[in-house]
Amino acid sequence: MKKKLFKYRKVILAALFVLSVAYYFCLPKTLFEDPYATVLNTEDGHLLSARIADDGQWRFPEEIALPDKYIQAVITFEDKNFYWHPGVDPLAFGRAMVQNLRAGHVVSGGSTLSMQVIRLHRKGKSRTIWEKLVEVVLATRLELRCSKTEILEIYASHAPFGGNTVGLSAASWRYFERQPAELSWAEAALFAVLPNQPSMLFPGRYEQALMAKRNRLLERLYAKGALDATALELAKSEPLPLAPNELPQMANHLLDYASVNGYKGQHLRTTLDQYLQRKVNKVLQAHHALLKTDGIHNAAALVLDVKANQVLAYAGNVPHTGAEHAENVDVIQAPRSTGSILKPFLYASMLDEGMILPKTMLPDVPMFFEDFAPKNFTRRYDGAVHADDALSRSLNIPMVHLLKMYGYPRFHEQLRNLGMSTLNKPAGHYGLTLVLGGAEGTLWDMANMYAAMSRTLSGSDETDGQFAEFVLNNEGVEPNSRKEEYLKANLSAASVWFTFQAMLEVYRPEEDSSWKMYSSARKIAWKTGTSFGYRDGWAIGATPEYVVAVWVGNADGEGRPGLTGIEAAAPIMFDVFDALPETSWFLPPRNELTMAAVDRQSGYLASPYSIAVDTVFIPKVGLRTAASPYHQRVHLNARETERINTNCAEGDELISKNWFVLPAKQAHYFKQRNPAYQELPPLAPGCGITDLWVMDMVYPEPNASLYLPIEQDGAQGQLVFEVTHRSADATLYWHLDNQYLGTTETRHSKELSPAAGPHTIIITDQQGNELVRRFEVIKSSD
């Protein structure tokens, strides 16, 4: 007998163990495998944009904080003993079971909120008594796993609210255009009763029945003391929503960017400012109304908070332009030709290395590099310009000269260190075109690079090497907008200071007075850029507080006349700045500056032969730069009309004087823009030395490789050789390979057709000064 009892006890224990294990594992770890919508909210919970779930349902990710009004309403309506039962309300369930057994089928649910979560999890299985028992078992298991608050959150996230709207958060925005925390008592009561019969919210059919149901719940809440009589009457007077509203779509491109970077199906809190985002969208739309008349259909704008290193506005394209104009293309992340937008980084890098001073004079004359012949946007040349003036006017020739000095491989590496992620080809692929738009960059990279310069100058380097954040921590979401991190570029505050000072004076076309009036409203370091073929217009502005970056163009790359940074993008940038709070300006980094004597004319350190000297602040590293090479001590006759020396005049006849002398090629163009420039007097006959400064060749460059062109009619064309001479009435004698070609006067140019191979051209003047240039004709170009 004892053996039998022991045997039965073992069987019972084994059965209980099996049942316990089955009970423990009867509820899946994840109740809902449904896809969720991707939702983008501001930090304070306002919806910016949302993308519907893959199954076509507006199902927002699970709620994490329910409003008290909704909690009271749903518990009062669905499960008044919710906080006291273990998943099943015995009284309600017993009453329902008796009714169902008498009827032979389910006529009364008696379901708790826990059981309703299980029913939603089981996707609406048939309402049988067996199914009800399964719900009971699973509901008790749910109670052991989750807290009451968690169960409420799961229910609110998966309850149906009519049509393809699932969950309280989606319903709040679709029906009332607000977040759940802002629901009124009437709205909370409606959402409490609606999942019971979601089809009742149908315009023109069930309004009266649904309103009566809602109002009965409001009266029960009043009876409980949840709201007073006045609140009850006001709540009962609120109308029902007529139909779901369209959800906000203010930051679609950022939402899409987040989706493809691992945030799909998540509820994201962003750094975006709701009101600024709406304003930026409106600014783009307003300008687009004018730009589209010129065939320009796309624009993008990005606003960064410099100090917080966060994105405040992200408009990847003009809203509502239509699919035919690539409205869905996020231009902020699209690589586009940079135009001149990289020039400030070259200028700052050379200042930082002590290779130039802010006003170092640079050549601005025609330049030729094999198959690359850069030209200024205006097709005019100044001969020589100060470096800061070259930056503010965005002159191409001086910047190419700087890049040649700095080295394009070195600049390529510097840009990568600064954060330019699109330089995926070797430096030699870009060459000297790198600073003129020969490389592609994104508005995202450019804005962050300018923001990094602002932080360097502000003395805030906590975020160096990181791009601006747009996603905040939320349910395990990492706050990284990009996975890449870049090395800190070693730009000193002093180099950035002088760069931004030059950018305060950006050149305005045609001396437009309205530009000057606008720019005086606040200090902004800004730069524009225009790509080859008028395909891209850029404008980026920086202050200690904000960076505003704008791109304008056509997403398909079509160029349009008038599509320039200064005309198309800069007005948008200024309008966005106008929507921002007041800004300040940077303080000069005194600890990185020093006073130095600088030659006023050349911008170099003063030499013993400088004519005018200014004592100004320069970067400390600038002390290593050279003294002015453009000044020399010359000796003149008594009338100062000729240069002489002891070989051709007595010592007491010499007049010594310091003179500002540009090379002949630079002087040729410089004096056209600067009539006050005094040419160096010619060397007096018989002084016995050659005047090396008297003439220079405009084209070609030394040791050039040249192609003979082919004309439209198929005939072989000619090369044009051009020389400049200090004397306006000089006669020049031309020789090619020791063969005399003739003379030129006033304008010194010759059209020649040399054979393929190496050649030497020699030009002499009446005083015997000689210019020799070697070149090679490779072959005729097709």
Side-chain angles (χ1 to χ4, degrees):
M1 189 67 161
K2 288 183 179 179
K3 288 184 178 180
K4 279 189 174 182
L5 288 174
F6 182 73
K7 182 178 179 181
Y8 290 145
R9 186 180 302 168
K10 288 177 63 177
V11 171
I12 292 170
L13 289 174
L16 289 174
F17 176 77
V18 171
L19 289 173
S20 299
V21 171
Y23 180 69
Y24 182 85
F25 289 105
C26 68
L27 195 66
K29 288 185 177 180
T30 303
L31 290 179
F32 297 93
E33 299 287 352
D34 303 314
Y36 293 107
T38 308
V39 183
L40 200 66
N41 281 359
T42 61
E43 187 174 1
D44 57 2
H46 287 90
L47 182 63
L48 291 168
S49 286
R51 283 281 181 269
I52 199 166
D54 289 343
D55 61 355
Q57 302 294 306
W58 281 114
R59 183 189 301 106
F60 284 12
E62 292 187 355
E63 303 288 339
I64 58 173
L66 298 177
D68 183 66
K69 290 177 182 176
Y70 173 76
I71 293 174
Q72 291 196 55
V74 75
I75 290 176
T76 301
F77 181 75
E78 292 282 5
D79 191 357
K80 63 182 179 180
N81 295 318
F82 174 70
Y83 286 110
W84 310 110
H85 63 65
V88 181
D89 187 340
L91 293 177
F93 186 72
R95 182 172 60 252
M97 287 299 291
V98 169
Q99 294 173 350
N100 295 337
L101 288 171
R102 287 176 178 174
H105 61 277
V106 176
V107 295
S108 177
S111 296
T112 62
L113 285 169
S114 303
M115 293 172 67
Q116 292 189 51
V117 169
I118 298 301
R119 187 185 305 131
L120 292 170
H121 155 66
R122 291 173 65 79
K123 302 300 181 187
K125 298 277 187 179
S126 57
R127 301 188 68 184
T128 64
I129 293 175
W130 169 254
E131 181 61 27
K132 187 63 64 175
L133 292 174
V134 171
E135 290 176 7
V136 168
V137 174
L138 295 179
T140 58
R141 180 68 186 89
L142 178 65
E143 290 275 346
L144 292 175
R145 175 188 294 179
C146 301
S147 68
K148 292 290 186 180
T149 298
E150 290 171 335
I151 292 171
L152 274 174
E153 291 170 352
I154 295 171
Y155 171 78
S157 298
H158 295 276
F161 288 91
N164 65 341
T165 304
V166 177
L168 178 66
S169 186
S172 296
W173 283 106
R174 294 209 75 200
Y175 293 120
F176 299 112
E177 298 182 310
R178 60 176 67 94
Q179 55 185 319
E182 298 171 347
L183 292 174
S184 67
W185 275 112
E187 293 161 351
L190 175 66
F191 287 148
V193 304
L194 193 56
N196 190 258
Q197 290 179 287
S199 61
M200 290 186 71
L201 193 59
F202 190 95
R205 186 175 297 180
Y206 303 116
E207 284 98 337
Q208 294 304 316
L210 183 59
M211 183 172 287
K213 194 173 184 179
R214 181 203 70 179
N215 290 347
R216 285 195 297 272
L217 174 56
L218 288 170
E219 289 170 354
R220 289 171 63 186
L221 289 167
Y222 168 70
K224 286 178 57 176
L227 67 166
D228 57 29
T230 302
L232 173 64
E233 292 306 313
L234 290 173
K236 290 171 68 175
S237 66
E238 288 187 27
L240 296 177
L242 296 177
N245 300 293
E246 294 293 330
L247 292 178
Q249 301 295 334
M250 287 191 285
N252 291 345
H253 297 96
L254 182 57
L255 183 66
D256 292 339
Y257 179 62
S259 296
V260 300
N261 281 277
Y263 297 114
K264 184 177 181 180
Q266 297 188 32
H267 211 147
L268 305 177
R269 292 186 306 121
T270 80
T271 62
L272 265 61
D273 181 284
Q274 174 190 7
Y275 303 103
L276 181 61
Q277 180 70 26
R278 183 181 291 113
K279 178 65 176 178
V280 169
N281 285 339
K282 288 182 178 179
V283 168
L284 288 181
Q285 287 176 300
H287 283 270
H288 176 256
L290 297 174
L291 291 170
K292 68 181 181 182
T293 61
D294 292 328
I296 303 170
H297 299 287
N298 303 104
L302 183 65
V303 182
L304 304 183
D305 182 324
V306 171
K307 295 178 180 177
N309 196 32
Q310 294 178 342
V311 180
L312 298 181
Y314 188 111
N317 214 321
V318 182
H320 314 304
T321 56
E324 67 274 18
H325 296 305
E327 173 190 354
N328 294 326
V329 174
D330 181 2
V331 186
I332 288 176
Q333 302 296 339
R336 308 292 302 198
S337 173
T338 53
S340 298
I341 214 72
L342 298 178
K343 289 176 180 176
F345 300 109
L346 176 60
Y347 178 80
S349 296
M350 296 202 69
L351 286 172
D352 190 64
E353 294 287 336
M355 299 178 73
I356 62 170
L357 295 180
K359 288 190 172 294
T360 294
M361 184 158 276
L362 305 173
D364 183 28
V365 295
M367 301 175 71
F368 306 91
F369 305 94
E370 295 183 359
D371 57 347
F372 175 50
K375 293 179 175 60
N376 291 330
F377 186 80
T378 61
R379 299 295 193 271
R380 294 186 298 180
Y381 306 96
D382 283 23
V385 294
H386 295 297
D388 58 350
D389 190 34
L391 176 61
S392 65
R393 294 171 56 193
S394 199
L395 297 176
N396 292 337
I397 301 294
M399 284 297 163
V400 172
H401 177 78
L402 286 182
L403 183 55
K404 187 177 180 183
M405 289 174 58
Y406 191 74
Y408 59 79
R410 191 175 178 188
F411 188 50
H412 180 271
E413 181 182 7
Q414 175 76 315
L415 291 173
R416 287 175 59 84
N417 290 342
L418 277 164
M420 192 169 174
S421 63
T422 51
L423 293 177
N424 47 23
K425 292 183 173 61
H429 173 81
Y430 309 103
L432 294 175
T433 68
L434 184 57
V435 76
L436 301 185
E440 292 185 330
T442 65
L443 197 66
W444 177 257
D445 285 357
M446 297 300 107
N448 278 280
M449 289 161 67
Y450 275 81
M453 284 209 295
S454 289
R455 281 192 295 275
T456 296
L457 189 49
S458 297
S460 174
D461 58 359
E462 294 84 357
T463 54
D464 280 334
Q466 297 179 351
F467 280 82
E469 296 175 353
F470 65 78
V471 175
L472 298 170
N473 275 320
N474 189 72
E475 297 185 65
V477 177
E478 293 296 328
N480 295 323
S481 58
R482 295 195 53 144
K483 300 300 182 185
E484 304 95 339
E485 288 192 0
Y486 297 89
L487 299 174
K488 178 183 176 182
N490 295 317
L491 289 178
S492 64
S495 65
V496 177
W497 164 259
F498 285 107
T499 302
F500 279 5
Q501 286 295 107
M503 291 165 63
L504 280 173
E505 302 297 332
V506 170
Y507 173 69
R508 285 83 173 172
E510 301 175 358
E511 301 299 324
D512 188 340
S513 60
S514 62
W515 279 105
K516 295 181 179 179
M517 290 173 59
Y518 195 101
S519 64
S520 65
R522 68 171 85 197
K523 283 190 171 184
I524 301 170
W526 60 293
K527 184 73 185 74
T528 61
T530 304
S531 68
F532 178 77
Y534 302 99
R535 293 181 175 90
D536 308 272
W538 300 76
I540 302 180
T543 69
E545 294 81 16
Y546 306 106
V547 163
V548 176
V550 173
W551 175 92
V552 175
N554 287 310
D556 62 3
E558 180 187 3
R560 301 295 299 175
L563 203 173
T564 65
I566 196 75
E567 294 179 4
I572 297 176
M573 181 197 72
F574 282 121
D575 279 354
V576 172
F577 263 114
D578 196 40
L580 293 168
E582 288 299 315
T583 55
S584 61
W585 188 241
F586 304 96
L587 296 175
R590 299 290 186 187
N591 61 324
E592 294 186 14
L593 305 179
T594 187
M595 297 289 288
V598 173
D599 185 273
R600 183 181 301 169
Q601 291 171 299
S602 70
Y604 283 78
L605 293 177
S607 78
Y609 306 125
S610 292
I611 299 170
V613 175
D614 294 322
T615 302
V616 297
F617 280 108
I618 64 169
K620 287 181 178 179
V621 70
L623 292 173
R624 69 173 68 163
T625 59
S628 175
Y630 294 110
H631 289 81
Q632 57 183 267
R633 190 75 167 173
V634 297
H635 306 293
L636 309 172
N637 59 18
R639 292 179 297 167
E640 299 186 9
T641 57
E642 291 180 326
R643 285 178 291 141
I644 58 176
N645 54 44
T646 55
N647 293 330
C648 54
E650 296 296 329
D652 57 357
E653 295 178 353
L654 292 175
I655 297 176
S656 297
K657 199 169 186 179
N658 295 339
W659 208 282
F660 176 57
V661 184
L662 289 172
K665 186 174 178 179
Q666 295 181 36
H668 172 72
Y669 292 95
F670 188 81
K671 62 188 178 184
Q672 296 175 24
R673 305 293 296 273
N674 300 271
Y677 175 73
Q678 290 184 309
E679 283 279 13
L680 190 66
L683 192 66
C687 284
I689 60 173
T690 302
D691 192 348
L692 299 177
W693 292 75
V694 72
M695 59 179 166
D696 196 5
M697 184 162 281
V698 177
Y699 182 82
E701 294 289 310
N703 303 312
S705 297
L706 307 174
Y707 292 85
L708 282 174
I710 300 298
E711 304 295 344
Q712 290 184 349
D713 60 1
Q716 183 172 279
Q718 294 180 312
L719 296 172
V720 177
F721 291 74
E722 185 176 356
V723 173
T724 181
H725 196 283
R726 292 191 183 279
S727 176
D729 57 357
T731 299
L732 301 187
Y733 303 88
W734 295 66
H735 296 77
L736 179 65
D737 300 328
N738 295 320
Q739 180 180 353
Y740 178 66
L741 300 177
T743 63
T744 57
E745 297 178 358
T746 309
R747 186 174 185 275
H748 305 291
S749 66
K750 282 275 186 190
E751 294 183 350
L752 305 176
S753 300
H759 298 276
T760 302
I761 190 167
I762 301 174
I763 301 99
T764 59
D765 64 9
Q766 293 163 304
Q767 283 72 41
N769 298 305
E770 183 177 84
L771 175 66
V772 180
R773 184 74 83 237
R774 292 177 176 83
F775 65 96
E776 181 179 7
V777 175
I778 298 176
K779 62 179 181 179
S780 298
S781 62
D782 297 328

